Amino acid sequence: MVHKIAVLTSGGDAPGMNAAIRAVTRAAVDVGWDVVGVRHGYAGLMAGEFVPFSIRSVGGIIQLGGTILGSARSLEFKTDEGRKKAIRNMSAAGIDGLVVIGGNGSQTGAYMLSQMGFPVNGVASTIDNDLVGSDITLGVDTALNIALEAIDRLKTTASSHTRAFLIEVMGRGCGYLALMAAIAGGAEAAVIPEIETTPEQVAEIIKKSYERGKAHAIIVVAEGAKYELNALMTYFKDKKDELGFELRGTELGHIQRGGAPGAFDRVLGTRLGAGAVEAMARGEYGVLTGLKGNELAWTPLAECVGKTKGISDKLFKLASIMA
Ligand code: ATP
């Protein structure tokens, strides 16, 4: 049975991570366990960067973006020796359980640790929403709203100047953020990794929008699409006169990650963080805590890692019908 638990955030930061750190801490204290925060993800785990946490240490953070623990990417943790070092450090500090708040790569690390016999549970947290085991991951909703605000603004300037905009959003190999941003932002198309849209098809969509008398055309492009922003801008370089609209490209980049988490992610982070502890308290390890329907779900990490969640064909079709 776990008596002292560590919590870390790893990989790309996601709005709501602080809510999850707070929930892990308070839920663990509630069942009578000690808690330590680990700074800088797996790198801090290998360096023994442990900070004792109390209920008060995590006060006043639920509304903050990013992660108070810091995050990092670590190549050393991908090695057996790196992970052994992490386990040695935790054992020396009397830590007998770990909660990993992070995305696909981070949960792969968590799985590797659990395979070595260490009790680990994950919290599904990434703005990419690519994790199998959770319908929606922590941070997606806030990132989507930030992308949407930018799209709304670009639409205003696009209409004023009769322009077409290609707007690139994040998501790694998953088109969820782009597709949802396209639907919610009333875009003409979403270019995503899962369903190929060629530059010729994008050109056709923009031209048709112009011919229909639209004041603008907005195409949301996922960073992981075969024809992402750079590829499309290169294609259109010598075809400017064929589109009707003048063309501009904008990469939203890291502004999608920053900022205060919305209500949805604060509540989701709280539920998932407490859920990871709840599973540990009943002796369930090596699982990813996620949301399925509107209920918490604990899926073995073995079933989640090394995969990318698919996209709904129906939603993709809906986006094109609405365009
Ligand atoms: P996001 O996709 O939201 O940025 P992520 O958790 O997927 O988040 P990654 O950079 O893929 O981010 O992974 C974070 C860290 O997890 C890596 O730097 C590495 O330390 C660890 N990790 C990734 N893959 C593995 C692996 N195969 N084995 C062990 N550890 C891994």
Side-chain angles (χ1 to χ4, degrees), residues 79-102:
T79 67
D80 210 37
E81 195 37 56
R83 290 191 297 275
K84 279 183 185 157
K85 202 195 282 183
I87 290 179
R88 276 198 303 272
N89 282 342
M90 286 193 281
S91 300
I95 296 162
D96 43 16
L98 173 68
V99 174
V100 172
I101 303 166

Side-chain angles (χ1 to χ4, degrees), residues 52-97:
F53 265 7
S54 67
I55 283 187
R56 290 311 330 142
S57 324
V58 292
I61 65 167
I62 195 168
Q63 75 281 14
L64 302 178
T67 156
I68 60 155
L69 285 172
S71 189
R73 299 189 201 267
S74 163
L75 283 179
E76 192 188 350
F77 192 76
K78 290 189 174 183
T79 67
D80 210 37
E81 195 37 56
R83 290 191 297 275
K84 279 183 185 157
K85 202 195 282 183
I87 290 179
R88 276 198 303 272
N89 282 342
M90 286 193 281
S91 300
I95 296 162
D96 43 16

Side-chain angles (χ1 to χ4, degrees), residues 6-20:
V7 55
L8 65 79
T9 49
S10 168
D13 63 310
M17 278 182 158
N18 285 325

Side-chain angles (χ1 to χ4, degrees), residues 9-14 17 41-43 46 71-80 83 100-113 125-131 137-138 171-172 223 257 305:
T9 49
S10 168
D13 63 310
M17 278 182 158
Y42 290 128
M46 290 180 297
S71 189
R73 299 189 201 267
S74 163
L75 283 179
E76 192 188 350
F77 192 76
K78 290 189 174 183
T79 67
D80 210 37
R83 290 191 297 275
V100 172
I101 303 166
N104 226 323
S106 305
Q107 301 308 336
T108 307
Y111 173 62
M112 304 294 272
L113 268 187
S125 171
T126 165
I127 66 163
D128 303 336
N129 204 30
D130 57 353
L131 262 174
T137 53
L138 187 57
R172 282 193 161 180
E223 66 178 352
R257 288 193 183 281
V305 300

Side-chain angles (χ1 to χ4, degrees), residues 13-30:
D13 63 310
M17 278 182 158
N18 285 325
I21 294 169
R22 174 178 175 270
V24 168
T25 304
R26 294 191 173 173
V29 169
D30 186 58

Side-chain angles (χ1 to χ4, degrees), residues 117-142:
F118 200 85
V120 189
N121 282 346
V123 165
S125 171
T126 165
I127 66 163
D128 303 336
N129 204 30
D130 57 353
L131 262 174
V132 170
S134 196
D135 292 347
I136 187 100
T137 53
L138 187 57
V140 176
D141 185 69
T142 304

